[in-house]
């Protein structure tokens, strides 16, 4: 819920299939980065192309038009899509940051990594009950997004949905997240 009870405007239209196919073709696969055995998805060619970037932002928010007040982006690449989605929809923007990056975190949640524990934090700049669309770039094992869901609950926000640019199907993130409102634009 926005403080002034205004509802963000719905985004005018969903992208066409050809635009999305072209956008997907711009995601480069970089083997052995940042470590041996990892296949990194480089989205910089996609975001460098205006029409491709617009098509993916439209696709991220289209299923949720009119259902959210705030777009929350996960550090770091999720910020890129979330800020564009917030602008396109007229919604507010919430950064979800790694520990120690915010000057006045209102809540934080720990989550497990394969090599340790990480923490995400957020401010409480929106009224309790605000409807939040979570956006991230990649869904792999789901740990970061699970933590983001817990963070929203701790802050008293309602998760309107989760939207991800790219899902790596074989890593089990969808099952771990268990979010019936999960939307992904591309899959591998």
């Amino acid at each position: 819920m926005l403080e002034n009870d205004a509802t963000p405007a719905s985004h005018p239209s969903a992208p066409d299939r050809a635009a999305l196919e072209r956008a997907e073709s711009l995601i480069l696969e970089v083997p052995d980065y940042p470590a041996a055995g990892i296949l990194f998805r480089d989205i910089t060619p996609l975001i460098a192309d205006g029409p491709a970037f617009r098509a993916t932002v439209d696709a991220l928010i289209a299923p949720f038009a009119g259902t959210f007040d705030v777009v929350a982006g996960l550090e770091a690449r999720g910020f890129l899509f979330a800020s564009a989605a917030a602008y396109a929809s007229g919604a507010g923007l919430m950064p979800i940051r790694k520990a120690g990056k915010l000057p006045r975190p209102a809540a934080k949640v720990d989550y497990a990594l394969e090599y340790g524990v990480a923490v995400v934090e957020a401010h409480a700049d929106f009224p309790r009950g605000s409807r939040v669309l979570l956006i991230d770039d990649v869904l792999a094992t789901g740990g970061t997004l699970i933590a983001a869901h817990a963070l929203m609950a701790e802050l008293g926000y309602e998760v309107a949905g989760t939207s991800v640019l790219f899902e790596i199907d074989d890593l089990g993130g969808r099952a771990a997240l268990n979010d019936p409102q999960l939307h992904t634009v591309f899959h591998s």
Side-chain angles (χ1 to χ4, degrees):
M1 302 175 163
L2 296 175
E3 216 148 77
N4 63 5
D5 292 328
T7 301
S10 297
H11 197 60
S13 63
D16 65 47
R17 177 62 23 214
L20 283 177
E21 286 175 5
R22 185 171 167 286
E24 185 176 24
S25 75
L26 295 172
I27 299 172
L28 300 179
E29 293 183 344
V30 181
D32 299 321
Y33 181 83
I38 304 287
L39 181 60
F40 183 80
R41 271 57 175 209
D42 182 4
I43 62 166
T44 54
L46 184 156
I47 63 174
D49 183 287
F53 188 41
R54 178 182 298 245
T56 55
V57 169
D58 289 348
L60 284 165
I61 62 176
F64 305 102
T67 68
F68 59 93
D69 309 305
V70 178
V71 178
L74 284 88
E75 187 167 343
R77 298 186 319 168
F79 290 170
L80 302 171
F81 293 97
S83 60
Y87 177 81
S89 65
L93 176 65
M94 175 192 307
I96 297 176
R97 304 286 321 257
K98 295 175 183 168
K101 301 289 186 179
L102 292 173
R104 50 183 179 80
K108 63 182 169 181
V109 172
D110 297 351
Y111 65 100
L113 298 169
E114 54 277 3
Y115 50 84
V117 175
V119 177
V120 290
E121 300 176 329
H123 290 160
D125 293 329
F126 303 95
R128 291 183 72 74
S130 292
R131 302 169 303 164
V132 180
L133 175 61
L134 294 169
I135 293 184
D136 204 0
D137 64 325
V138 174
L139 173 60
T141 61
T144 308
L145 282 167
I146 292 168
H149 275 252
L151 189 61
M152 296 301 100
E154 189 170 322
L155 290 167
Y157 301 148
E158 175 190 332
V159 175
T162 305
S163 199
V164 179
L165 178 68
F166 192 88
E167 180 178 354
I168 304 172
D169 298 322
D170 295 341
L171 296 180
R174 178 174 290 270
L177 182 58
N178 192 27
D179 178 356
Q181 300 295 341
L182 174 61
H183 168 68
T184 58
V185 178
F186 305 122
H187 294 266
S188 73

